[in-house]
Structure formats: C-alpha cells, structure tokens
C-alpha cells in the first residue's frame, strides 16, 4: 500500500510506539492539510502516550472478520484533531492470536483513500498477525533499534526469518541515541552491514517517564535534538508521498495541538 509506513522494533523497549506517534504528530502539526492515521497493529493497545484512544482494533474485530466495517463511523471514532486520527490496538493479550493479516488488509483498504499517510506501529513480534500484515503491506518499513547489545543481537538472530518472509527495511532508526555511547553509528553500521545513509539517529530525550505518566509524546517537551531526529524520519515518509519536507524546527516552535 503506497500510503502505509510501518515501524517495527528490533526488541522490547526500543521506543517504537513513542517514535511512531511522534512522527505522526509532527507531520500533522506541520501540515494541517495532510491527514494522517496512526494505527497500532501488534499485541498491545499502543495508546500509552495519549489521554484517549478513541476506537480500537479489538472493538472492530467482528466487523473485520465479517468485512462489514463502516468507514464513516470508524473515521468519526478515530478523529483526534482536524487532520490526526488514531486507532488503538488490542487490550486483551489472550486474544492476540485471533487476528490475521487479511484483517489488516481489509481495514487499510477501507480507509486508505481517506488519508495521505498511514503510520503503523507493529510492535516487535513477527509472529503476530496484525504486525505481519502491516509489514507485508507497507510501502516502507522502518526498523527501530537502540544502542544496546540485546537489541542488536536479537535482530541478528531474527534477521534470517524476516528475509525468508520477504520483509525488508528501507531504513534503520537508532532510537535513544547518545553520541558518547560505545555503540557508535559507525560500529552499528559495520555490524549490521548497512550504509550510513540507511541509519537515522533519534537522540535520547529526557522526560520519558513523565511522558508516560502524563500520556504525551516526547515532542511535547521541546527537546531540540529529539525533534531533529523525528523530523528526519518524518521527511523520509513525506518524500515517499511526494510531499514537501518539514523545515528544521526552531526551538519552542512545535506545540501540541491535540
């Protein structure tokens, strides 16, 4: 699907959900005429950083199974602002195996034409039907990493599985990046056998625990370096949709309008 861009974590706690939400928020705050849907397609709700999630995939399960989804009602329930929409994921962890890639395809085919961009948070497990569907259908997949051995080694172990499934990643995002960390950009590129142009750095930001407590994205706390990294990711998506890039944000310019 030409408008779908999927974020996938190499491991737990690499910040996939926060990053996907930040990218969606930055695009919609920068271009009010660009309609964006943020959808959680994994084994969790994906609504940790919002005060309300609206509709969820879990509530829509019967409609997806029977292919009777009402686009009008879904859009009304998902709307958070003039141009930003959010669809939460699955609350009941015991039922995550009851969702399949075909449901994702039907869901996105139903609403895709309503949006210029669809951003999917696909978690970090490839054996989840929602995540597999998002990765298979996506125009571009972004793998989210961190400067931790557990994340890198897990990706090295699982990479052959993704390759067998025909899943590729157009960019790798080093989230929570710190310049002085031993796992430098050059080291990660050599280890993963990727070019530096494939690796995007998103700086570590303070207020992570506060953001979770206040249910806000990190963009709300105006960390300039973090915003620069998020902007680079957002511009990759905008370029893929033939939309103008976001100019470098001056400190204090971004504001949460949701």
């Amino acid at each position: 699907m030409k408008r779908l861009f999927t974020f996938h974590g190499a491991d737990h706690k690499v910040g996939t959900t926060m990053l996907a939400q930040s990218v969606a928020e930055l695009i919609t705050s920068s271009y009010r005429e660009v309609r964006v849907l943020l959808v959680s397609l994994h084994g969790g709700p994906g609504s940790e950083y919002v005060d309300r999630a609206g509709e969820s995939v879990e509530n829509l399960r019967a409609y997806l199974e029977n292919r009777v989804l009402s686009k009008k009602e879904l859009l009304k329930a998902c709307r958070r602002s003039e141009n930003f929409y959010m669809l939460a994921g699955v609350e009941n962890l015991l039922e995550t195996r009851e969702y399949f890639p075909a449901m994702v395809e039907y869901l996105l085919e139903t609403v895709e034409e309503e949006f210029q961009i669809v951003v999917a948070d696909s978690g970090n497990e490839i054996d989840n039907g929602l995540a597999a569907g998002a990765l298979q259908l996506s125009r571009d997949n972004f793998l989210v990493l961190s400067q931790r051995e557990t994340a890198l080694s897990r990706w090295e172990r699982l990479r052959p599985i993704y390759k067998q499934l025909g899943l590729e990643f157009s960019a790798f995002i080093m989230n929570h990046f710190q310049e002085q960390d031993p796992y430098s950009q050059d080291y990660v590129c050599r280890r993963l056998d990727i070019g530096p142009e494939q690796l995007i750095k998103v700086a570590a930001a303070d207020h992570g625990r506060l953001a979770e407590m206040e249910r806000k994205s990190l963009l709300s706390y105006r960390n300039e370096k973090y915003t620069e990294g998020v902007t680079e990711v957002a511009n990759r998506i905008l370029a893929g949709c033939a939309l103008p890039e976001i100019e470098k944000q001056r400190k204090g310019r971004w504001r949460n309008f949701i």
Side-chain angles (χ1 to χ4, degrees):
M1 292 184 172
K2 62 182 180 180
R3 306 182 189 193
L4 174 62
F5 298 83
T6 299
F7 290 78
H8 190 72
D11 198 6
H12 300 276
K13 299 300 182 182
V14 295
T16 308
T17 296
M18 174 64 79
L19 183 59
Q21 181 175 329
S22 294
V23 169
E25 287 185 3
L26 183 60
I27 293 173
T28 51
S29 65
S30 300
Y31 296 114
R32 298 301 175 92
E33 70 280 8
V34 177
R35 283 158 58 104
V36 177
L37 171 66
L38 172 64
V39 55
S40 297
L41 296 172
H42 54 84
S47 56
E48 294 89 338
Y49 307 108
V50 292
D51 57 355
R52 56 182 175 82
E55 192 54 91
S56 71
V57 172
E58 182 172 344
N59 291 342
L60 300 176
R61 178 179 160 189
Y63 300 97
L64 296 174
E65 289 176 333
N66 294 287
R67 303 178 71 86
V68 291
L69 187 63
S70 168
K71 179 170 64 175
K72 181 178 179 180
E73 293 300 320
L74 175 61
L75 294 175
K76 182 179 179 181
C78 291
R79 188 169 183 171
R80 292 183 52 80
S81 73
E82 186 66 26
N83 62 330
F84 181 45
Y85 296 70
M86 181 176 181
L87 179 61
V90 180
E91 292 278 357
N92 191 338
L93 299 179
L94 298 177
E95 296 183 358
T96 57
R97 303 298 180 190
E98 303 299 322
Y99 298 85
F100 305 97
M103 294 182 182
V104 177
E105 184 173 15
Y106 170 64
L107 168 65
L108 297 179
E109 284 179 347
T110 302
V111 301
E112 185 185 26
E113 293 303 318
E114 298 293 326
F115 300 97
Q116 282 77 29
I117 297 171
V118 178
V119 175
D121 166 18
S122 66
N124 60 83
E125 300 291 347
I126 189 55
D127 62 343
N128 177 276
L130 295 174
L135 290 166
Q136 290 167 356
L137 295 168
S138 186
R139 182 192 189 283
D140 284 307
N141 293 321
F142 300 96
L143 185 73
V144 184
L145 300 155
S146 67
Q147 291 168 296
R148 296 176 61 185
E149 178 60 32
T150 52
L152 295 177
S153 59
R154 185 175 188 267
W155 169 242
E156 288 173 328
R157 293 195 307 272
L158 296 178
R159 181 163 48 184
I161 298 175
Y162 287 80
K163 187 174 181 179
Q164 288 179 344
L165 294 172
L167 299 177
E168 298 181 353
F169 293 88
S170 59
F172 297 76
I173 302 171
M174 186 60 67
N175 206 17
H176 310 311
F177 184 81
Q178 300 183 58
E179 290 288 352
Q180 304 305 316
D181 194 284
Y183 287 79
S184 65
Q185 179 181 2
D186 289 341
Y187 171 77
V188 172
C189 287
R190 289 196 305 270
R191 181 162 172 181
L192 300 185
D193 192 26
I194 60 175
E197 72 283 353
Q198 291 179 273
L199 186 67
I200 303 173
K201 298 179 294 183
V202 177
D206 298 328
H207 304 106
R209 294 178 66 181
L210 184 61
E212 187 172 350
M213 182 177 68
E214 295 184 341
R215 303 182 76 87
K216 296 179 180 179
S217 79
L218 286 171
L219 286 178
S220 303
Y221 304 95
R222 300 181 181 180
N223 182 300
E224 188 173 9
K225 289 187 176 180
Y226 176 77
T227 303
E228 286 180 1
V230 173
T231 300
E232 184 174 351
V233 179
N235 282 339
R236 295 278 183 112
I237 292 175
L238 290 166
C241 296
L243 293 169
E245 294 186 352
I246 300 169
E247 295 181 4
K248 184 178 179 180
Q249 301 286 303
R250 291 192 296 270
K251 189 173 183 179
R253 180 180 170 187
W254 188 89
R255 64 186 180 89
N256 186 359
F257 65 97
I258 298 171

